Amino acid sequence: MPDIPPVPVILGNEPGAFPRSVLAERHPAIIRQVREAFPYGPEQHRVLDELLVSCTEGVVEPLPADAHDLDRWKSWGIDGYVGRSWFDVPWLWSESYFYRRLLEAVGYFGSGAWQGIDPFRPFKLAELHSRETDEELAALDDLADRPEDEQATALLHGSLWGNRADLGFRLSDAEAEDRAAVPGLVADDSGTLWSLLTGDGALCLIADNAGRELIPDLLLIAHLLAHGRVERAVLHVKPYPYYVSDATTADVVDALRRLTDAPGRAAEYGRRLWAAMADGRLTVRAHPFSCAPLPYADMPDDLRTELAGATLTVVKGDLNYRRLVGDRMWPPTTPFAEVTAHFPGRVAALRTLKSDVVTGLDADTEAALVAAEGQRWRTGGTHALIQVRP
């Protein structure tokens, strides 16, 4: 990106800044909630306590010498950060490494009885079977008689605003869901998005959260397949639990069962999706890079080749947006097309704003947001955007 002036990578060490609050407040809250959600034994409690001290007062510690993914984390830069404060390394990296260490602490990667047990599953299931999810699924019945383009628009916005259902975000901001969403988008390239979905090729959707966000993502995919806007779809999820509510393959299965067991129109969507997976029109992918502490500019060649072959890649959510444009404090008017020029194909971002990073706004929009809210508009989860680089 030679035409863009260099902007420093965001760290977590600025007093009063949002990244610092995530490291100092959200992560300890997550440790406490995970500890209380399962009947873990004394050893797991001990390691969780050590992680709590480490991530708030200590330094980044190395992985065990026999860690199954040690070589991968070496390639992701761990040797350069061991021994440094969690607050003084890139925020994107420290957040990702926190979740890796949390899984290790509860025995997720071990050989014992807790191997493969998702520490965030109780929270995901509670949301998936909540009254709010019931209401959102019931709304599909009213949508059924609308024209196809109205259905498509409603499902696109359902996928977009579903990104507010972020359990990690709500842990550090208990009032987040009570704040009303602002319906006007700060950037809206939805017209360009629809122009690219003409019926040919594959849609790649890089998912963010499970539960009440993943279901709208699946509904959108089902609609696009059913109405011939794409030939097939690839849903990218995380290979292991990540960022509290990020979607894994197990969460996809839970979401599909939730749909097929629901009354009314929701069950029809669920059956369509189940059939699409059976005949290969919908596939699920869990690439290791989905949990990398790095921007998409650093993606490996196999993933680059895969995404280059898609008609369009839709990147969901706040974390994926940070990885897409680079986790830097860009001036908000920095062109989205320029900071995503590294991406190997057409790309669209659907995101509610829950961190400081944002690009692609016009100057008047930014000025109006700052005048109305100061800088809170960046992190409050009440504003959203749809941006496309065709």
Side-chain angles (χ1 to χ4, degrees):
M1 298 180 285
D3 297 331
I4 301 178
V7 177
V9 171
I10 293 176
L11 307 179
N13 57 8
E14 182 180 343
F18 182 73
R20 185 174 184 87
S21 73
V22 170
L23 298 177
E25 300 168 18
R26 182 186 299 183
H27 288 179
I30 289 169
I31 291 174
R32 288 191 293 271
Q33 291 228 354
V34 166
R35 178 176 177 142
E36 295 168 1
F38 285 93
Y40 291 128
E43 178 61 18
Q44 288 153 313
H45 286 175
R46 181 187 65 79
V47 182
L48 285 170
D49 289 342
E50 290 177 352
L51 178 60
L52 178 61
V53 173
S54 171
C55 70
T56 55
E57 304 173 18
V59 298
V60 174
E61 298 175 0
L63 289 173
D66 60 351
H68 74 283
D69 54 354
L70 180 59
D71 288 344
R72 185 175 295 152
W73 277 93
K74 283 182 174 292
S75 72
W76 291 345
I78 189 172
D79 289 341
Y81 300 131
V82 166
R84 296 170 62 182
S85 167
W86 290 78
F87 297 91
D88 293 336
V89 304
W91 181 40
L92 178 63
W93 197 96
S94 60
E95 276 196 290
S96 295
Y97 193 59
F98 167 79
Y99 287 100
R100 170 60 183 83
R101 294 307 301 257
L102 180 62
L103 291 180
E104 178 187 320
V106 298
Y108 183 89
F109 295 118
S111 57
W114 292 95
Q115 182 182 28
I117 301 298
D118 183 347
F120 311 126
R121 184 167 172 78
F123 318 128
K124 294 175 178 178
L125 290 179
E127 183 182 80
L128 191 62
H129 295 280
S130 67
R131 175 182 53 81
E132 291 82 1
T133 301
D134 289 338
E135 294 171 352
E136 289 162 2
L137 294 181
L140 294 172
D141 295 336
D142 297 329
L143 191 63
D145 296 329
R146 303 286 183 88
E148 187 274 333
D149 61 336
E150 289 186 24
Q151 293 184 38
T153 297
L155 292 171
L156 176 67
H157 281 259
S159 176
L160 170 64
W161 286 109
N163 187 232
R164 276 166 61 90
D166 181 332
L167 294 172
F169 176 62
R170 298 207 303 269
L171 277 176
S172 59
D173 189 347
E175 300 176 353
E177 201 160 24
D178 294 332
R179 290 193 294 270
V182 178
L185 304 185
V186 299
D188 186 2
D189 295 337
S190 54
T192 303
L193 184 150
W194 292 123
S195 74
L196 299 175
L197 300 178
T198 58
D200 298 325
L203 171 78
C204 284
L205 192 151
I206 301 178
D208 190 17
N209 297 298
R212 284 173 55 207
E213 179 173 2
L214 183 59
I215 281 183
D217 293 343
L218 289 168
L219 295 174
L220 177 61
I221 288 172
H223 183 90
L224 296 176
L225 290 171
H227 291 272
R229 289 183 180 258
V230 293
E231 294 177 326
R232 57 189 179 86
V234 181
L235 180 65
H236 284 254
V237 297
K238 303 298 190 294
Y240 51 79
Y242 193 61
Y243 277 70
V244 184
S245 55
D246 279 25
T248 65
T249 303
D251 299 316
V252 175
V253 175
D254 286 339
L256 289 177
R257 286 178 174 153
R258 179 72 172 87
L259 286 171
T260 56
D261 290 344
R265 183 77 166 175
E268 182 180 336
Y269 276 97
R271 289 191 293 270
R272 287 181 184 175
L273 289 160
W274 202 282
M277 291 192 70
D279 64 26
R281 287 177 297 130
L282 171 60
T283 57
V284 178
R285 184 93 156 89
H287 195 285
F289 191 74
S290 295
C291 291
L294 302 173
Y296 286 125
D298 296 335
M299 74 176 72
D301 291 341
D302 64 326
L303 183 59
R304 181 171 294 276
T305 299
E306 179 178 342
L307 298 180
T311 297
L312 177 68
T313 297
V314 174
V315 173
K316 284 296 307 292
D318 202 77
L319 172 62
N320 283 324
Y321 188 89
R322 290 163 55 197
R323 297 185 70 194
L324 176 64
V325 304
D327 203 29
R328 301 169 183 268
M329 191 62 84
W330 300 109
T333 55
T334 304
F336 177 75
E338 292 186 22
V339 293
T340 59
H342 62 85
F343 203 81
R346 296 164 171 167
V347 63
L350 273 61
R351 175 220 182 185
T352 59
L353 276 61
K354 293 175 290 190
S355 68
D356 293 303
V357 179
V358 66
T359 67
L361 303 191
D362 65 55
D364 290 342
T365 298
E366 182 199 3
L369 289 166
V370 172
E373 303 180 38
Q375 296 301 326
R376 179 64 178 170
W377 62 272
R378 295 175 180 255
T379 60
T382 58
H383 294 279
L385 58 79
I386 300 174
Q387 293 176 320
V388 180
R389 196 210 71 207

